[in-house]
Amino acid sequence: MKKQSVEKAYALACEQYADAGVDCEKALRRLKSIAVSLHCWQGDDVGGFERSASMEGSGLQVTGGYPGRARTADELRQDLDKALSLIPGRHRVNLHAIYAETGSHRVDRNELAPEHFARWMAWARTRKLGLDFNPTFFAHPKAAAGFTLSSADESVRRFWVEHGIACRRIGATMGQKTGTPCVTNVWIPDGTKDLPADRRGPRERLQQSLDEIFAEEIDVSIHRDAIEGKLFGIGSESYVVGSHEFYLGYAVANDKLLCLDAGHFHPTEGIADKLSAVFCHLDEVLLHVSRGVRWDSDHVVILNDDLRAIAEELVRGDYLGRVHIGLDYFDASINRVAAWTIGCRALLKALLLALLEPAARLRAAERGGDTTGRLALMEEAKSMPFGAVWDHYCLKQGAPVGEAWLAEVRQYEKTVLSGRT
Ligand code: RNT
Ligand code: ZN
């Protein structure tokens, strides 16, 4: 689209929004201040760079064989650079422990140290990107039995506690080096395929393990801890040790961030409604924005009602300053750079839509008991010229407008990705 057309459409849109009591410039200033944490694992199908890592026993499933997967950290950073150039705004990158760069020697998970992420930190610094982090409690022989932090085998449990401790130190260093607090998120695959005889033991051991991992005080100005629950996974259909109730209680009792993953609840249960409930008891929340489809919790995020409801709650409740927003999905059946771009642009669009909501009018209707007007206004807001505001934002941020980013991805596929086998 031509630059003049974008600006003309934007000017008209601003008038229309102003009539509804909405200030477009203000909405865009707010949008610009939101950094989304882009999950590195979409770029290589959650592979990582440990030669032995496989997803076996992780409860996660990556399907598809689209060519061009990043095979090295350099390739992954190159792909992330490409994706970030197609997304308006300044964002963050979310790493997992399996993305360590340990050179020619193998370093086991419990021995990982900040130096193994030196290149990631240098890369992030030159781009002014924040970093977030995750211990990897899966894809490892010591996770093969289905239990990590909740294992009854003390040597196994100890190993994973050490991994958790090591990862917090890495996260703290990331926060220090990048000048923005790193959120380190704990998710474990522990659970059972069929009915367990003992639900209590593993949960009590998990509680003990978390206490041990979090024992070291780390300054919140450089680092935050988050814990992520789940309803079920592949191979943990009957029992998941780290359930929502378990972590909600732990987070409240220990002042940790609760991570709500949009794909980790019953298929008819959304996380939007949970936000105002958990924010009554927690200062901050981490979101894993994802899209569940039937058994899978990790489809590429799109601008659907669930996503819009999450963004609306964050804006309506004035929670943007208390939430850390990350993406979490993996699709190996489409171009991976496109997968990042589609998901992150969709999330930003959802946030913009929410910021453009005629909030004052909706609240006035609600307070006045005018539920008819509230519903009518919500529906009318859907056909306001939001696309013109979005296009203008992309243009201003130096990101491609409309579908123009797709041509860039196709070009990148031709010149870079197709050379990878
Ligand atoms: C798994 C969790 C977890 C992972 C990543 C790779 O169900 O959602 O967040 O997706 O850590
Ligand atoms: Zn998640």
Side-chain angles (χ1 to χ4, degrees):
M1 214 189 345
K2 277 209 221 77
K3 203 175 149 182
Q4 291 106 303
S5 320
V6 172
E7 293 310 9
K8 236 205 244 157
Y10 178 60
L12 285 172
C14 282
E15 273 180 39
Q16 206 174 323
Y17 276 108
D19 285 345
V22 177
D23 181 343
C24 287
E25 287 291 316
K26 191 173 155 209
L28 290 180
R29 276 198 301 277
R30 193 72 187 96
L31 183 64
K32 195 176 155 206
S33 73
I34 302 171
V36 174
S37 200
L38 206 60
H39 55 315
C40 80
W41 52 91
Q42 165 58 55
D44 76 330
D45 317 335
V46 209
F49 308 122
E50 283 176 350
R51 260 144 284 278
S52 60
S54 96
M55 289 279 277
E56 191 85 49
S58 65
L60 309 175
Q61 178 91 56
V62 187
T63 48
Y66 201 85
R69 177 177 62 83
R71 299 160 301 177
T72 64
D74 284 325
E75 288 181 354
L76 188 55
R77 283 188 285 265
Q78 186 185 11
D79 294 353
L80 280 161
D81 275 332
K82 186 70 212 176
L84 288 165
S85 78
L86 305 174
I87 298 164
R90 191 187 300 289
H91 300 289
R92 308 172 61 84
V93 168
N94 200 359
L95 296 172
H96 241 281
I98 45 172
Y99 293 86
E101 290 171 271
T102 61
S104 52
H105 43 273
R106 211 182 118 66
V107 178
D108 211 345
R109 303 262 176 97
N110 60 338
E111 265 151 16
L112 286 171
E115 73 216 50
H116 303 124
F117 293 86
R119 296 186 67 205
W120 280 109
M121 289 188 257
W123 173 80
R125 270 170 74 123
T126 54
R127 285 154 182 79
K128 296 196 169 65
L129 297 169
L131 289 177
D132 296 303
F133 197 50
N134 305 259
T136 312
F137 293 101
F138 50 86
H140 189 281
K142 286 198 166 70
F147 293 93
T148 63
L149 292 178
S150 71
S151 177
D153 178 334
E154 184 55 21
S155 71
V156 169
R157 194 187 70 80
R158 196 61 233 152
F159 172 84
W160 290 113
V161 166
E162 284 169 15
H163 177 54
I165 291 171
C167 286
R168 287 181 83 227
R169 292 183 183 151
I170 294 165
T173 309
M174 287 178 171
Q176 210 166 34
K177 294 274 190 254
T178 57
T180 148
C182 167
V183 179
T184 298
N185 177 54
V186 168
W187 173 75
I188 59 167
D190 301 28
T192 61
K193 180 185 176 78
D194 224 323
L195 297 172
D198 177 14
R199 290 176 188 264
R200 176 176 174 171
R203 290 197 167 126
E204 290 184 355
R205 286 191 292 273
L206 174 56
Q207 185 172 23
Q208 183 196 338
S209 296
L210 293 176
D211 289 348
E212 289 166 12
I213 290 174
F214 297 139
E216 187 178 350
E217 280 287 337
I218 302 182
D219 193 335
V220 293
S221 69
I222 56 169
H223 184 263
R224 314 278 162 90
D225 296 300
I227 45 183
E228 178 183 11
K230 189 169 181 172
L231 182 65
F232 72 93
I234 298 169
S236 59
E237 291 85 359
S238 299
Y239 171 61
V240 168
V241 183
S243 60
H244 176 59
E245 291 75 8
F246 175 88
Y247 284 122
L248 176 62
Y250 193 93
V252 172
N254 297 281
D255 197 17
K256 298 296 173 196
L257 274 67
L258 181 71
C259 173
L260 293 171
D261 184 310
H264 285 192
F265 293 86
H266 187 278
T268 64
E269 193 180 357
I271 63 167
D273 176 62
K274 300 183 190 302
L275 291 169
S276 54
V278 301
F279 273 123
C280 285
H281 309 289
L282 295 168
D283 288 337
E284 294 185 9
V285 161
L286 169 65
L287 293 186
H288 271 189
V289 180
S290 191
R291 176 168 55 109
V293 176
R294 303 201 188 281
W295 60 267
D296 180 50
S297 60
D298 301 291
H299 270 55
V300 178
V301 165
I302 56 170
L303 185 56
N304 59 11
D305 286 349
D306 292 337
L307 182 67
R308 292 193 57 182
I310 293 168
E312 283 165 2
E313 277 308 304
L314 294 177
V315 172
R316 290 177 187 169
D318 194 17
Y319 296 127
L320 284 171
R322 294 166 62 187
V323 73
H324 301 258
I325 309 176
L327 290 164
D328 182 16
Y329 54 79
F330 22 93
D331 188 340
S333 76
I334 63 172
N335 180 299
R336 295 170 185 79
V337 175
W340 272 318
T341 310
I342 291 166
C344 198
R345 286 175 69 110
L347 172 57
L348 294 171
K349 285 180 192 171
L351 288 164
L352 179 58
L353 273 164
L355 289 163
L356 291 172
E357 198 176 62
R361 294 179 70 194
L362 289 174
R363 282 190 187 242
E366 184 163 290
R367 267 198 305 269
D370 178 14
T371 48
T372 307
R374 182 184 62 188
L375 187 62
L377 288 173
M378 279 181 181
E379 279 306 288
E380 287 307 319
K382 289 180 180 171
S383 51
M384 294 278 283
F386 136 83
V389 185
W390 169 250
D391 288 344
H392 161 85
Y393 180 65
C394 290
L395 190 68
K396 239 182 105 188
Q397 293 300 310
V401 174
E403 62 169 64
W405 65 265
L406 183 57
E408 288 203 35
V409 169
R410 297 227 201 271
Q411 183 60 25
Y412 186 74
E413 180 163 319
K414 229 184 358 228
T415 55
V416 180
L417 300 179
S418 68
R420 300 177 188 167
T421 43

